[in-house]
Amino acid sequence: MHDAPALTAGPVPQAEHLHERGRRRVVFAASGDLRLAPLVHQRGAAAHAAGARLGLEWHDQHTVEGDNARSLVTRWRDEGVTGVIAYDDDVAATVVGAAVRAGARVPGDLAVVGHDDSPLASVLVPSLSTVRIDTGALGRTLAQRALDEVLDRPHEHGHLPVATDLVRREST
């Protein structure tokens, strides 16, 4: 996968939101789905860069899967981590569930922000703060890129910005 700013814009508002909420020790919670590895890597790098720009104390990136989530949350609490930037809402939901089961308060002890504004984000308790991407604009951008490739045209549009919105909910 080539660098795709439209697909990696979300970590910036995630990091900014945690910073605004007073969270200074942050970790990136990654998906373990190997099919997503390039995008997970890019989002993790974007989160790290945004966190560094904001002066956040960055902790190592961790792959979160159902069976390791509770031990990771416990470890993060022991290390003083107060904010989690999740690769997507599924990872964020796994972190929130593990935190609640471990006796942590979300967002009191651990603020968690997801990505994608999936239907799960609004129904989870506590509901997930998350990043919503303008998927219509993203689809048009990707379709234009595909058409340019097929027709052997240069990419006239460069990196088109895709709007992201932070949806504030209970997890932060």
Side-chain angles (χ1 to χ4, degrees), residues 91-130:
V91 171
T94 301
V95 170
V96 167
V100 169
R101 284 179 181 83
R105 295 172 299 132
V106 176
D109 298 321
L110 191 65
V112 181
V113 61
H115 196 292
D116 299 333
D117 195 24
S118 70
L120 173 65
S122 64
V123 299
L124 186 72
V125 177
S127 59
L128 289 175
S129 293
T130 186

Side-chain angles (χ1 to χ4, degrees), residues 122-142:
S122 64
V123 299
L124 186 72
V125 177
S127 59
L128 289 175
S129 293
T130 186
V131 171
R132 179 185 305 136
I133 292 179
D134 182 347
T135 55
L138 178 58
R140 288 187 295 278
T141 299
L142 294 176

Side-chain angles (χ1 to χ4, degrees), residues 70-81:
R70 190 169 177 174
S71 64
L72 280 175
V73 166
T74 300
R75 176 177 168 186
W76 294 338
R77 285 180 67 193
D78 291 346
E79 293 175 355
V81 170

Side-chain angles (χ1 to χ4, degrees), residues 11-26 50-57 82-85 111 113 166 168 172:
V12 173
Q14 286 176 300
E16 290 172 345
H17 181 61
L18 290 175
H19 183 267
E20 290 167 7
R21 304 298 296 164
R23 306 310 172 123
R24 297 296 183 263
R25 293 182 175 178
V26 177
R53 181 179 54 79
L54 294 165
L56 300 178
E57 181 180 323
T82 58
V84 177
I85 296 173
V113 61
L166 185 86
R168 298 174 199 292
T172 57

Side-chain angles (χ1 to χ4, degrees), residues 40 61 66 78 119 164:
V40 169
Q61 174 175 312
D78 291 346
T164 59

Side-chain angles (χ1 to χ4, degrees), residues 50-69:
R53 181 179 54 79
L54 294 165
L56 300 178
E57 181 180 323
W58 195 258
H59 289 254
D60 291 338
Q61 174 175 312
H62 294 278
T63 299
V64 175
E65 296 172 309
D67 56 346
N68 76 345

